[in-house]
Amino acid sequence: MTSSTTTDAQTPSTRRRRLRAPSFSVQIIGSLVLGVLLGWWALSMGTVDDGTPEGGANWLTTTLDTIGSSFVLLLRTLVPPLVFTAIVASITNLRHVADGARLAAKTLMWFAITALVSVAVGIALGVIMRPGQNTTLDIADGSEPSRTGSWLDFLDSLLPANFLGLGANTSTQVAESGSVTASTSLSFNVLQIVVMALAVGIAALKVGRKAEPFLTFNRSALEIIQKILWWVIRLAPLGTLGLIGNAIASYGWDLLAPLGTFAAAIYIGLAIVLLVLYPVLLRINGLRVLSYFRGAWPAIQLAFVSRSSIGTLPLTQRVTERNLGVPSAYASFAVPLGATTKMDGCASIYPAISAIFVAQIFGIDLSVTDYLLIAFVSVIGSAATAGLTGAIVMLTLTLSTLGLPLAGVGLLLAIDPILDMGRTAVNVAGQVLVPVIVAKREGILDEEQYRAATSEDLFADDDEAEAVVEDAQAESRTPVTVGAPTANDAPVHGDADRRS
């Protein structure tokens, strides 16, 4: 009977293991495949008649768009409090990490090194493949963008307009009846939040013991925010389905035809950076390439479908710490900084090839000085546009610096969402890579954890904690004995008999 009791007591854990869902990576891959199928189905359904020449989105496209945009919105909503509380905590924790200032300097140095090599790859591909001379687009198809990048944007990005780094955008629409509808949307500047968090964290260190209640509250808030974030991250397979499905339904692949060589050059460049440059850097620093990709893959996948480094930030930080062994005190500083300034895809590969494309299509010859300017803008310019979003802003900064026509940007807008998926994936891969390399060179990387990196560790702590609680609850409901009483049960039954 005793063995039967032991078996029954272990049933909850056994059942949990037996009913365990597929791994996170498998769920994401399955959602990608299903999203592609649903996207093609929605694309084949065509548009609906809504009174406009181009028609409106069908019900399936609308559904996919709603699912995907809702998921990204949930992530972006939680990014500001996550960045603020994580950086404040990291500043105070850096007291226990030797040479925190040197860590920050080396992080920026490696940002620059990888950006420089990436832009060199982009320039080489642009010169070799000559995408501007292998297109059917006409110069007349181009138009200047409404927003351009500027070197002064860096100062604007550093100086917060308010404590929360929030901004408001107001847009108006005029209906056919003449009525005017105004709407206001709030946005946030991550770099401004980083600056404010750095100031608050340093001030808390200077205040000393009087700041302990605030720091305790900040740590508690960070734990709560991270818990909510992981509830949202668990929805990533559903968000992936909506995002990739909507991308295919909205843009298709036929738009690539006039810009086939250009798109191929971009994706070849991204592949070289991701699959050649990054592995070489890892091997030079004595790190296993397979472990890096196993650990970082969940964030790279989500970045590809969400097209948002900021939206992927929570997962990027999680895989950097949990899967790849970078100390939390350092990762919570380096990863948010990288999400705003580390963009090998958007700020290096893309503007380099695009600038050469624009020069070629307008018949402008670039000199060696122009190519050096492209490299300079790619390495330094990402900081100048750090408070802004989108590779288009970085491209306009590059074109204006070189004196090239900004109208060339309009030629590339049609396929920008398709290119943006690959660009963002490489951005996030680099944002994980640099903290890993710096931590390894500084001797603070948990190499055992790095070597054992797997995407299945993402929710390990959460699952184990839930398992402990569930087992405790199950044990409290499990009878002490099953069947005939044992010797240890005799006093209990004797007391019951006397009470009766």
Side-chain angles (χ1 to χ4, degrees):
M1 291 299 177
T2 303
S3 60
S4 174
T5 303
T6 303
T7 302
D8 290 342
Q10 293 177 347
T11 299
S13 296
T14 305
R15 186 184 300 115
R16 187 182 304 108
R17 287 193 295 269
R18 196 173 296 145
L19 299 178
R20 186 176 181 181
S23 68
F24 186 76
S25 294
V26 171
Q27 293 178 42
I28 293 290
I29 294 173
S31 298
L32 278 170
V33 174
L34 183 57
V36 168
L37 296 176
L38 290 175
W40 280 115
W41 182 21
L43 188 63
S44 66
M45 293 170 62
T47 59
V48 296
D49 185 10
D50 63 350
T52 60
E54 63 275 8
N58 57 61
W59 68 268
L60 183 53
T61 302
T62 302
T63 302
L64 292 171
D65 179 43
T66 302
I67 293 174
S69 59
S70 298
F71 173 70
V72 174
L73 182 62
L74 285 173
L75 284 176
R76 289 178 61 87
T77 299
L78 292 168
V79 164
L82 171 70
V83 171
F84 183 87
T85 55
I87 289 184
V88 170
S90 72
I91 292 298
T92 56
N93 290 337
L94 280 176
R95 290 177 298 182
H96 311 297
V97 178
D99 298 322
R102 188 175 68 182
L103 280 176
K106 288 199 171 184
T107 301
L108 295 175
M109 181 190 73
W110 277 98
F111 283 178
I113 290 173
T114 52
L116 184 60
V117 179
S118 298
V119 74
V121 171
I123 291 174
L125 287 172
V127 172
I128 295 171
M129 299 185 68
R130 307 188 70 80
Q133 295 180 1
N134 294 284
T135 180
T136 59
L137 288 176
D138 189 86
I139 295 177
D141 297 331
S143 60
E144 294 191 14
S146 58
R147 181 68 176 93
T148 60
S150 167
W151 290 100
L152 294 178
D153 287 326
F154 181 58
L155 294 178
D156 294 336
S157 302
L158 283 178
L159 302 176
N162 53 69
F163 180 77
L164 299 176
L166 295 175
N169 300 315
T170 303
S171 60
T172 57
Q173 292 182 343
V174 181
E176 294 181 358
S177 60
S179 60
V180 179
T181 304
S183 60
T184 301
S185 60
L186 293 177
S187 61
F188 57 87
N189 185 314
V190 176
L191 190 59
Q192 291 182 1
I193 297 175
V194 170
V195 171
M196 288 301 306
L198 287 172
V200 171
I202 294 172
L205 288 180
K206 296 296 183 181
V207 170
R209 293 181 58 185
K210 292 182 179 179
E212 283 303 321
F214 167 75
L215 295 178
T216 301
F217 168 78
N218 184 81
R219 286 191 291 268
S220 299
L222 177 59
E223 291 293 329
I224 294 172
I225 293 165
Q226 287 178 328
K227 174 61 70 175
I228 298 174
L229 275 169
W230 298 122
W231 293 343
V232 176
I233 290 295
R234 287 177 183 268
L235 299 175
L238 183 61
T240 297
L241 183 148
L243 288 164
I244 196 68
N246 180 61
I248 293 177
S250 300
Y251 305 104
W253 297 104
D254 55 339
L255 293 174
L256 288 172
L259 292 166
T261 305
F262 173 75
I266 294 294
Y267 268 94
I268 290 173
L270 296 173
I272 290 174
V273 170
L274 181 63
L275 303 178
V276 178
L277 172 60
Y278 290 172
V280 167
L281 292 177
L282 289 167
R283 293 301 300 167
I284 289 175
N285 288 278
L287 294 167
R288 293 178 57 185
V289 176
L290 185 58
S291 296
Y292 164 78
F293 280 107
R294 274 205 314 256
W297 195 246
I300 297 173
Q301 284 179 317
L302 182 59
F304 181 82
V305 296
S306 68
R307 296 168 46 208
S308 173
S309 294
I310 298 301
T312 313
L313 173 59
L315 188 57
T316 306
Q317 186 169 331
R318 182 81 161 196
V319 300
T320 304
E321 298 174 11
R322 176 70 61 83
N323 293 356
L324 298 175
V326 178
S328 177
Y330 169 54
S332 56
F333 163 78
V335 175
L337 181 64
T340 59
T341 60
K342 177 61 181 158
M343 307 177 204
D344 288 341
C346 290
S348 296
I349 293 289
Y350 180 75
I353 297 177
S354 299
I356 295 173
F357 168 86
V358 172
Q360 290 172 351
I361 202 171
F362 281 91
I364 301 173
D365 293 328
L366 296 179
S367 64
V368 175
T369 303
D370 292 323
Y371 292 127
L372 292 176
L373 275 177
I374 292 175
F376 175 79
V377 174
S378 297
V379 175
I380 307 299
S382 58
T385 58
L388 307 173
T389 56
I392 297 300
V393 174
M394 185 63 192
L395 174 57
T396 58
L397 177 64
T398 305
L399 295 181
S400 59
T401 302
L402 294 172
L404 296 174
L406 292 180
V409 177
L411 300 171
L412 308 176
L413 291 178
I415 64 168
D416 188 69
I418 297 173
L419 302 178
D420 197 29
M421 293 188 290
R423 292 190 313 239
T424 309
V426 172
N427 290 347
V428 168
Q431 292 159 17
V432 176
L433 176 84
V434 170
V436 169
I437 290 178
V438 173
K440 173 63 167 63
R441 296 178 71 90
E442 292 297 303
I444 59 174
L445 181 71
D446 187 336
E447 296 193 42
E448 182 178 351
Q449 186 176 355
Y450 177 88
R451 286 191 294 269
T454 170
S455 60
E456 310 320 316
D457 291 341
L458 276 177
F459 307 104
D461 290 352
D462 301 329
D463 293 339
E464 289 174 6
E466 292 173 2
V468 170
V469 172
E470 291 177 11
D471 284 345
Q473 293 174 343
E475 186 176 350
S476 66
R477 294 192 297 267
T478 303
V480 176
T481 59
V482 177
T486 63
N488 293 332
D489 297 322
V492 176
H493 288 279
D495 291 342
D497 293 339
R498 282 192 294 271
R499 283 195 298 270
S500 62

